[in-house]
Amino acid sequence: MARPPVVPDILEEHLEELAFLSLQRRKLAFDWETFPRELRAHDLRIEAHRAALKLGGAEAARIARARLEDAVMDWEIYASLRTWFETEPPSGETVREILQSRLGDDPDPSLAKAAGWREAFRTLPPGRAEELLRIDVPAATAIAVDAAGWHGALDAKGADRFASHSAPAVRRGVARTLGAARFDPTRALDRLLGDPEIEVRHAALGSRLLRDPRGTHEMVRGRVAGADDFELRVLGLLGDANDLRGLASRARETPAAARALGDLRDPRALDVLLELARDKDADLAAAALDGVATIAGWPDGREGADDLDVEEMAAHVAARRSALEDAPRWLRGIAYPPRNSEEITTEAAWRLAIESDDPERGRRLREVPDGFFTGAPVEEALCGE
């Protein structure tokens, strides 16, 4: 049977949809209004566009390469690279040339500069990611280390070597992915937790959280008085009632502590948060309202704090107290853990997984919410986070 003709305009539409739907997925994966079944349906839409592009073969690869030449947006870079890799896999030399031309000789490409590249290279088969470690382009090392680590394909020797690399971006790639390691990464993690670069330290703490949530909780709790914003976020995610006082004592110093109080999901934090929501400091007040919403949800018809009167929120909290008086923890106005599996949103599923003792969680939880490593949410869907 003759193969149907390839229509370039249609392939370009598939490529645009792949970029847009991938961006959307970042938000849906940690959303309080999206359920896992809806995320699976969204993933099927992404797979349909990938399948169509694969049918386009060499022409799809040509279009992807042409798009890559002019691409500026991270998700467009990601979609173009992934399509090229999957339709007409380039040789290592070709990859080296394009990395050289796009990222140059910078041995330490910034997180923002290489975001789309990291996201795309994480989709490569582990063996191919390991091959890229041999490319002699400085910027490629950071991307390839991240990609290999993403699949748990770095061995202990490689992790130790790259954890001592002179470029912070390479050390960050190791630190970011050690949660998925198939060996005990304690030695490398301990080194990276003391790294001079804050982005490296935060990535290492995120990996430690996945390997040992209880031990990480105790470690961060012990230094709450001097904890930075990300450490406060970790304490909120892993904490319990014993962390209320410590986080409340930091709340007027940084909005991150107010959001961390919400992350505890303990309704006893609501009175403190409502008081903070009346503060004259607009950033603190907004963070406190975010914390209230994490515990109690937004009032009906509201999806954010814009023009929301604090007293309206207080009334909403009172109504939820009446409905959930026997629930020790709440998430978005629902008992936590959810009593009904149908109430488990993608946000709730991620929080439950963070707390679990599943030894495979480091490989399941490689993705994190946007802004995770800064301790504050961001509206942008971050590529390669």
Side-chain angles (χ1 to χ4, degrees):
M1 180 181 292
R3 186 173 181 173
V6 172
V7 182
D9 287 352
I10 299 299
L11 290 176
E12 288 188 3
E13 289 180 10
H14 284 302
L15 186 58
E16 290 170 0
E17 282 296 300
L18 175 60
F20 176 69
L21 292 173
S22 298
L23 179 157
Q24 268 193 326
R25 189 191 185 283
R26 284 286 303 146
K27 293 301 182 187
L28 297 178
F30 309 98
D31 186 51
W32 62 78
E33 295 180 308
T34 299
F35 295 89
R37 63 180 180 278
E38 296 171 314
L39 183 62
R40 287 192 292 271
H42 189 86
D43 284 341
L44 288 175
R45 293 178 63 193
I46 290 175
E47 292 307 306
H49 290 292
R50 287 180 58 216
L53 286 162
K54 287 178 182 178
L55 286 174
E59 180 63 12
R62 184 195 67 78
I63 290 170
R65 292 197 304 270
R67 280 293 184 94
L68 187 60
E69 288 295 319
D70 301 317
V72 175
M73 293 181 59
D74 292 331
W75 289 104
E76 188 177 5
I77 292 171
Y78 157 76
S80 299
L81 281 168
R82 183 169 192 179
T83 298
W84 182 18
F85 292 156
E86 293 181 341
T87 54
E88 195 175 70
S91 66
E93 177 61 21
T94 300
V95 174
R96 187 196 70 78
E97 290 174 358
I98 194 168
L99 280 166
Q100 181 76 56
S101 65
R102 292 300 296 267
L103 297 178
D105 295 321
D106 183 359
D108 194 37
S110 68
L111 292 181
K113 184 177 180 181
W117 294 79
R118 277 196 309 280
E119 191 78 30
F121 275 57
R122 288 170 178 176
T123 68
L124 291 174
R128 191 71 202 278
E130 289 179 281
E131 288 177 19
L132 297 176
L133 289 172
R134 295 191 288 273
I135 294 178
D136 61 345
V137 176
T141 303
I143 296 167
V145 164
D146 179 276
W150 190 256
H151 295 285
L154 277 181
D155 59 18
K157 183 177 179 180
D160 282 342
R161 177 161 62 95
F162 290 119
S164 301
H165 199 279
S166 60
V170 174
R171 301 198 303 275
R172 199 265 182 187
V174 179
R176 171 69 178 86
T177 59
L178 280 178
R182 301 182 188 280
F183 59 90
D184 182 356
T186 301
R187 184 170 65 177
L189 274 178
D190 285 347
R191 177 186 304 162
L192 294 164
L193 284 167
D195 196 273
E197 298 293 329
I198 191 169
E199 289 180 339
V200 177
R201 296 198 303 273
H202 284 178
L205 183 60
S207 288
R208 193 184 194 283
L209 179 158
L210 298 182
R211 307 292 302 199
D212 180 17
R214 293 180 183 175
T216 302
H217 175 213
E218 290 301 319
M219 181 182 75
V220 179
R221 172 187 279 173
R223 60 188 192 214
V224 63
D228 64 27
D229 287 356
F230 178 55
E231 291 171 330
L232 292 171
R233 176 80 197 272
V234 168
L235 186 58
L237 287 169
L238 300 178
D240 54 39
N242 293 319
D243 297 301
L244 283 167
R245 185 183 298 275
L247 288 172
S249 70
R250 294 292 312 280
R252 293 195 182 277
E253 298 174 26
T254 172
R259 290 191 173 91
L261 278 169
D263 280 326
L264 288 175
R265 288 145 284 167
D266 191 322
R268 285 171 292 187
L270 287 167
D271 290 339
V272 172
L273 286 169
L274 286 170
E275 179 185 346
L276 293 170
R278 297 180 175 91
D279 198 272
K280 293 180 181 179
D281 183 320
D283 290 339
L284 175 57
L289 279 178
D290 282 349
V292 174
T294 299
I295 301 171
W298 296 108
D300 290 343
R302 297 281 197 174
E303 294 184 358
D306 293 344
D307 301 321
L308 178 64
D309 182 84
V310 176
E311 301 314 317
E312 181 183 352
M313 196 62 157
H316 170 67
V317 165
R320 297 315 298 157
R321 285 191 195 277
S322 177
L324 295 170
E325 58 184 11
D326 62 334
R329 300 177 88 187
W330 311 351
L331 178 63
R332 307 290 176 187
I334 297 172
Y336 182 90
R339 296 163 177 168
N340 185 334
S341 62
E342 294 181 359
E343 295 177 335
I344 298 179
T345 61
T346 55
E347 179 194 36
W350 180 73
R351 289 174 181 268
L352 286 166
I354 283 286
E355 300 168 354
S356 77
D357 287 326
D358 180 357
E360 290 293 309
R361 65 174 167 268
R363 284 181 277 282
R364 290 190 296 105
L365 301 178
R366 293 172 298 183
E367 290 184 278
V368 295
D370 296 313
F372 178 71
F373 293 106
T374 63
V378 296
E379 292 187 9
E380 180 184 0
L382 298 177
C383 212
E385 172 78 326

